[in-house]
Amino acid sequence: MESHLTILLPIAAVWLAAGVVADGLPRLRNTRMLRRRTGWLLVLSFIGMALTAAVVGGGLLSAGTAPVDRAAAGLTLAAGPALVAMVCSLRRIRRLRAGAGAFANAPGTPAPHGLRAAAAHPLVGLPLQVTALATVPAVIEAVGTDLSANPGVTGPAITVGALAVIAIGVRHALRHSRFAERAQPAVPRSARTTGPLHV
């Protein structure tokens, strides 16, 4: 096993776990479970960001071909989505956890559609999942397959990655809109329009 692969595998595993947990948030029907899972998601996100920043920073400070340099070079693609996750996702996850924590005195309360819509917002799960997806090329290259060496492979790989990001974003947007529509209060119908006309 390559030495820089031992650095990349834990980072990829943490981001993958964060993406899986974020994807399951809207399916939770209990406020207690929603609060617990958002706590896990915060921990995983902080660990992933700390590990990514440490490796990228170590690669910038170290000049040479050390394992940390090769790992940092592989994580350059994931640095952008990780930064978006730090700026956008963490704030929304904290607000979501605080909203679920408002039901702490009634832990068996079903999760409202408003909270589930907030959990399905694209800025909650999409940056985490894109970061996990961006670590895959680094892991593949660390295993020994150089995707950039063969132009016939690089183009399709970029296309597949872009399509995967678009599909994930569309899926989050559709789920968010569905829960947001359910969270809207019912519009009361006017009694005057339902009755017969009076002259």
Side-chain angles (χ1 to χ4, degrees):
M1 180 180 289
E2 292 290 336
S3 53
H4 67 294
L5 181 60
T6 61
I7 300 174
L8 291 172
L9 276 180
I11 298 174
V14 168
W15 284 117
L16 179 62
V20 170
V21 172
D23 192 70
L25 288 181
R27 292 194 293 268
L28 298 176
R29 300 181 180 274
N30 186 286
T31 53
R32 175 189 289 175
M33 287 301 299
L34 184 60
R35 188 169 188 271
R36 185 180 302 166
R37 294 287 176 86
T38 49
W40 294 355
L41 188 56
L42 280 174
V43 171
L44 288 170
S45 301
F46 276 121
I47 292 174
M49 290 170 192
L51 290 176
T52 304
V55 172
V56 173
L60 292 175
L61 295 176
S62 172
T65 58
V68 68
D69 295 317
R70 289 183 286 172
L75 288 178
T76 53
L77 184 63
L83 183 61
V84 174
M86 183 177 67
V87 173
C88 299
S89 299
L90 286 182
R91 180 172 57 89
R92 290 183 177 274
I93 296 168
R94 283 197 299 263
R95 285 167 48 189
L96 182 60
R97 189 167 191 268
F103 298 91
N105 293 331
T109 305
H113 288 296
L115 278 179
R116 296 174 72 186
H121 195 280
L123 286 179
V124 172
L126 181 62
L128 302 175
Q129 293 172 343
V130 171
T131 306
L133 189 64
T135 61
V136 173
V139 173
I140 292 175
E141 188 173 351
V143 170
T145 305
D146 192 1
L147 296 176
S148 60
N150 189 355
V153 177
T154 305
I158 294 174
T159 303
V160 169
L163 290 176
V165 171
I166 293 172
I168 294 170
V170 169
R171 180 169 176 268
H172 280 294
L174 291 176
R175 286 203 305 176
H176 174 66
S177 63
R178 187 177 78 240
F179 284 119
E181 288 174 4
R182 292 181 184 177
Q184 295 295 326
V187 179
R189 299 179 62 185
S190 174
R192 295 175 60 89
T193 59
T194 57
L197 291 175
H198 294 281
V199 180

